[in-house]
Amino acid sequence: MCGITGWISFDRDLTTEQDTLAAMTRTMECRGPDSCGTHVEPRALLGHRRLAVIDLVGGQQPMSVTEEAGTVSLVFSGEIYNFKELRAELTARGERFRTASDTEVVLRGYLRWGDQVCERLNGMFAFAVWDGRTSRLVLVRDRIGVKPLFLARTPDGVVFGSEQKAVLANPAVRRVVDTAGLREWLAFVMTPGHAIWRGIEQVEPGTVVTVDSRGVRERTYWRLEARPHTDSLDDTVSGVREILQDTVTRQLVADVPQCVLLSGGLDSSALTALSAAALGDRPVRTFSVDFVGRSDTFRPDDLRSTPDAPYVRAVTEHVRTDHADIVLDSAALADPAVRRAALIARDVPVGFGEMDFSLYLLFQAIRERSTVALSGEVADELFAGYRQFHDPEIVDAPEFGWIAVNAGPLDKDGTGLRADLLKRLDLDGYRRDSYASAAASVPRLGGDSDAEHRMRVMSHLHLTRFVRFLLERKDRLSMAVGLEVRVPFGDHRLIEYVYNAPWAMKSHDGREKSLLRAAVRTLLPEAVLDRPKAAYPSTQDPSYAIALQRQASRLLGDPGHGVFALVDQLWLADVVRRDAAGVDKLTRLGLERTLDLAIWIDEYRPTLDVDAD
């Protein structure tokens, strides 16, 4: 896992811009704490920060091969899980390897197959190839969007990076956020390709971008398609188990310590049990997060009917893992330094508040003992784990399911923002238009009933929009501390298979995650199998809200702060005077957003062009 960046210009000599390349690369030091490398040519600058996971000595980057027609150089982020098979195939075709790294497999695969190498890769990846033979740049992102990749077009080329901060470090890219960016941030519709900063776009998952002197072109090499599913229920359950075991086994390959993130829910418990089966006599290392006193003071809410701890214990005892609980207190969560670190990791104030901070602190603690972690992202979107999949009114509603359910750390009303700004943004209208366009683009399989197609739309939008937000969150917060997180449920083979299973199979036992539960039934305790879906834990300590009020009160002492171009100053003044009991969920979300915005404005110094569409 690493960070990549670069600058391509066809009208200037970039060898004079090495200080800029160094600045761009330096922004991603946390993503790659082990080493740094650059490649410099007149038309191309490439930068790389490395987190060494496979072939610790030989996998240095940028990695280059020089041929008679020119030099081909690669910067790569991610992991290729089938690199051993591809290496064997390439060796049989005459390629000769200098290292044992998966990076060299990608490079030599490109030399053999061109940009079609991406279609042979099983993994999470974002990479850039500067092909000096043809003076062109090739950018590739994995099918699901596990690894991020951003791009800004310039008059004579492009600037790119794993994170927006790397792109923003180039003086050719202006730090402007306009009305379109604010809508995308606040509406929570996650339009593919969009970023909040003007002029910066995401390379879409499953896409190859080619840049040469003629311009920028895109090719989609993978998309989520509707296909007939002909397997029986029993065969489907067996198929899910087989693919899952294979992908977990592949994703446990590393030359550094590994672990599993365990919450006691079905997803992470399944990964723990499957990891134990793959590792044999070696114990699985597991970590979980909890809060001081939570077991004694837990109160059910709209997303969590049970605490995690009893189910975590059940799994660790059943599987006999090497387990550690990471226990956090409200003081750590409310620490402004932690908020700042998490905000800088994400580049934009689009967070989950203290749920981001606890995740950051969890990763920080894990990194002291492991370098690679397996996590359960994508399972809820794939196996219909969320409440919105099972509520007929939400299924039939003409809006995104994660918005219609109106639960969790989502404030669709923009609590605390200025009324004139919200009126201009018209978030409800933007969401309606976005949903109509997105739903209309979902392929319909011939023979699907209207009800079946509605469930297909729900699944497709969660897998192509909502999950990308969660994957980016996990990537940024983990890589901020140099921890590589892998997501076995994001294997494209599993996604293609389960997505096309009919809804009757996905809900055959009358509840969420029917196929997954059936696939791992023999591996887990009954209590874990029967546990209702519970979201990532959140602190219930009232002292956290009090800390937010105190920090916001200090912000009011600077009435000229740029945050008040977006936040209603009178609203904030009222909130900080309330008793903590009067700070409800939406008010707390508004406070979180205000504090995030203040840090973001201080750190990134954006130009807010709120009058521009």
Side-chain angles (χ1 to χ4, degrees):
M1 193 75 74
C2 309
I4 67 173
T5 191
W7 185 6
I8 307 300
S9 174
F10 294 100
D11 292 343
R12 62 192 300 177
D13 181 2
L14 290 180
T15 60
T16 65
E17 296 286 353
Q18 294 185 53
D19 288 347
T20 299
L21 176 62
M24 293 166 62
T25 306
R26 191 164 49 246
T27 65
M28 297 182 299
E29 184 174 357
C30 291
R31 293 187 74 90
D34 295 327
S35 64
C36 175
T38 59
H39 177 83
V40 177
E41 293 187 22
R43 297 289 175 262
L45 301 178
L46 303 179
H48 187 267
R49 293 290 321 194
R50 186 181 186 214
L51 174 64
V53 172
I54 292 175
D55 190 3
L56 307 188
V57 175
Q60 299 296 327
Q61 298 185 51
M63 188 175 287
S64 301
V65 171
T66 299
E67 298 183 339
E68 183 176 349
T71 297
V72 179
S73 298
L74 168 73
V75 284
F76 172 84
S77 171
E79 302 295 338
I80 304 303
Y81 305 128
N82 64 336
F83 78 97
K84 292 182 178 179
E85 297 97 313
L86 290 173
R87 180 188 177 98
E89 181 180 355
L90 287 163
T91 299
R93 290 171 175 262
E95 296 290 339
R96 295 293 175 261
F97 287 82
R98 302 190 305 264
T99 75
S101 68
D102 57 344
T103 300
E104 189 176 5
V105 170
V106 176
L107 177 57
R108 296 197 176 275
Y110 174 83
L111 293 172
R112 175 67 57 173
W113 298 305
D115 63 31
Q116 293 182 338
V117 63
C118 59
E119 297 165 29
R120 298 171 177 260
L121 304 178
N122 179 299
M124 56 178 189
F125 50 86
F127 63 86
V129 177
W130 173 251
D131 193 334
R133 302 170 304 180
T134 56
S135 293
R136 72 167 187 165
L137 175 74
V138 177
L139 298 172
V140 181
R141 192 174 179 200
D142 67 63
R143 297 169 180 84
I144 312 303
V146 182
K147 303 314 300 174
L149 186 55
F150 294 89
L151 170 71
R153 307 182 191 213
T154 65
D156 66 336
V158 297
V159 178
F160 67 88
S162 293
E163 297 185 0
Q164 295 173 77
K165 63 173 64 68
V167 178
L168 290 168
N170 190 303
V173 181
R174 296 182 60 210
R175 297 176 174 235
V176 178
V177 176
D178 56 21
T179 306
L182 291 176
R183 284 196 188 100
E184 191 63 29
W185 161 44
L186 292 165
F188 214 65
V189 299
M190 289 148 295
T191 307
H194 282 224
I196 289 176
W197 297 92
R198 180 196 288 172
I200 297 180
E201 58 196 271
Q202 293 194 51
V203 175
E204 291 193 37
T207 299
V208 176
V209 176
T210 303
V211 184
D212 58 23
S213 59
R214 296 172 295 171
V216 180
R217 295 176 300 282
E218 297 182 3
R219 174 177 73 86
T220 300
Y221 72 88
W222 185 89
R223 59 170 52 91
L224 188 57
E225 297 179 340
R227 299 171 183 168
H229 184 87
T230 58
D231 288 353
S232 67
L233 176 58
D234 288 344
D235 288 343
T236 300
V237 170
S238 298
V240 169
R241 171 72 172 268
E242 181 180 344
I243 299 172
L244 261 180
Q245 185 65 73
D246 179 71
T247 191
V248 168
T249 301
R250 288 177 181 275
Q251 295 194 25
L252 286 170
V253 174
D255 297 332
V256 292
Q258 309 154 65
C259 67
V260 178
L261 307 181
L262 177 61
S263 69
L266 182 60
D267 315 334
S268 63
S269 301
L271 294 183
T272 301
L274 291 165
S275 296
L279 293 174
D281 295 336
R282 290 182 291 158
V284 180
R285 179 177 294 178
T286 54
F287 293 91
S288 65
V289 66
D290 207 345
F291 303 98
V292 173
R294 182 178 173 86
S295 296
D296 298 326
T297 62
F298 175 81
R299 300 184 306 277
D301 59 27
D302 58 349
L303 290 179
R304 307 163 192 88
S305 60
T306 57
D308 288 347
Y311 300 94
V312 168
R313 285 196 298 271
V315 175
T316 58
E317 292 171 2
H318 185 79
V319 182
R320 298 182 179 179
T321 74
D322 175 11
H323 183 72
D325 292 311
I326 308 301
V327 182
L328 307 175
D329 60 30
S330 292
L333 294 176
D335 185 347
V338 173
R339 180 182 294 274
R340 184 176 299 273
L343 189 282
I344 291 173
R346 300 198 67 176
D347 284 331
V348 289
V350 191
F352 281 176
E354 50 89 7
M355 292 170 65
D356 277 358
F357 311 148
S358 64
L359 192 62
Y360 174 84
L361 292 169
L362 170 65
F363 289 155
Q364 193 174 60
I366 290 174
R367 184 61 177 89
E368 296 176 1
R369 287 168 273 185
S370 290
T371 308
V372 172
L374 268 58
S375 185
E377 272 74 18
V378 190
D380 282 311
E381 294 76 18
L382 184 58
F383 291 101
Y386 297 122
R387 189 170 75 203
Q388 55 261 34
F389 282 91
H390 306 275
D391 184 326
E393 290 188 10
I394 294 177
V395 170
D396 290 335
E399 61 180 324
F400 295 105
W402 57 88
I403 295 172
V405 73
N406 196 27
L410 171 61
D411 171 21
K412 65 180 183 179
D413 297 322
T415 302
L417 295 176
R418 290 175 47 158
D420 57 335
L421 174 65
L422 290 172
K423 182 178 180 180
R424 179 171 182 78
L425 294 178
D426 184 18
L427 296 178
D428 287 339
Y430 185 65
R431 290 188 186 109
R432 283 194 302 271
D433 292 345
S434 296
Y435 177 80
S437 175
S441 70
V442 177
R444 180 162 189 159
L445 186 66
D448 273 0
S449 65
D450 289 345
E452 186 71 27
H453 184 64
R454 285 292 308 141
M455 297 314 304
R456 187 181 292 279
V457 168
M458 178 75 80
S459 178
H460 192 282
L461 297 182
H462 277 77
L463 287 166
T464 59
R465 288 187 178 232
F466 186 68
V467 78
R468 294 178 186 175
F469 175 84
L470 300 181
L471 290 172
E472 184 172 354
R473 170 180 181 254
K474 184 62 65 74
D475 172 86
R476 296 301 193 87
L477 295 174
S478 62
M479 293 307 296
V481 299
L483 177 70
E484 173 177 298
V485 175
R486 302 175 178 180
V487 286
F489 291 109
D491 187 293
H492 70 279
R493 300 168 302 161
L494 182 66
I495 289 175
E496 290 171 346
Y497 188 69
V498 176
Y499 170 70
N500 283 298
W503 179 247
M505 288 187 182
K506 294 178 183 177
S507 57
H508 69 84
D509 63 358
R511 53 181 304 190
E512 80 286 351
K513 300 182 189 175
S514 302
L515 286 177
L516 178 59
R517 183 175 297 101
V520 298
R521 180 164 292 282
T522 60
L523 301 178
L524 296 172
E526 284 295 324
V528 175
L529 288 165
D530 292 337
R531 183 190 183 190
K533 160 69 181 173
Y536 180 83
S538 175
T539 183
Q540 296 179 329
D541 186 344
S543 67
Y544 179 75
I546 294 172
L548 295 183
Q549 288 175 294
R550 289 173 179 164
Q551 293 171 29
S553 180
R554 289 193 288 272
L555 185 60
L556 284 168
D558 182 9
H561 196 287
V563 73
F564 295 115
L566 303 173
V567 174
D568 185 332
Q569 196 166 354
L570 293 177
W571 169 85
L572 189 62
D574 172 67
V575 170
V576 300
R577 289 194 297 266
R578 295 181 192 175
D579 183 89
V583 180
D584 59 16
K585 184 185 80 170
L586 288 179
T587 303
R588 192 171 105 171
L589 290 173
L591 276 174
E592 297 268 25
R593 178 171 47 235
T594 298
L595 295 172
D596 283 351
L597 277 168
I599 292 174
W600 177 65
I601 289 170
D602 288 343
E603 290 289 334
Y604 287 84
R605 302 293 177 182
T607 297
L608 298 175
D609 190 1
V610 296
D611 294 324
D613 278 301

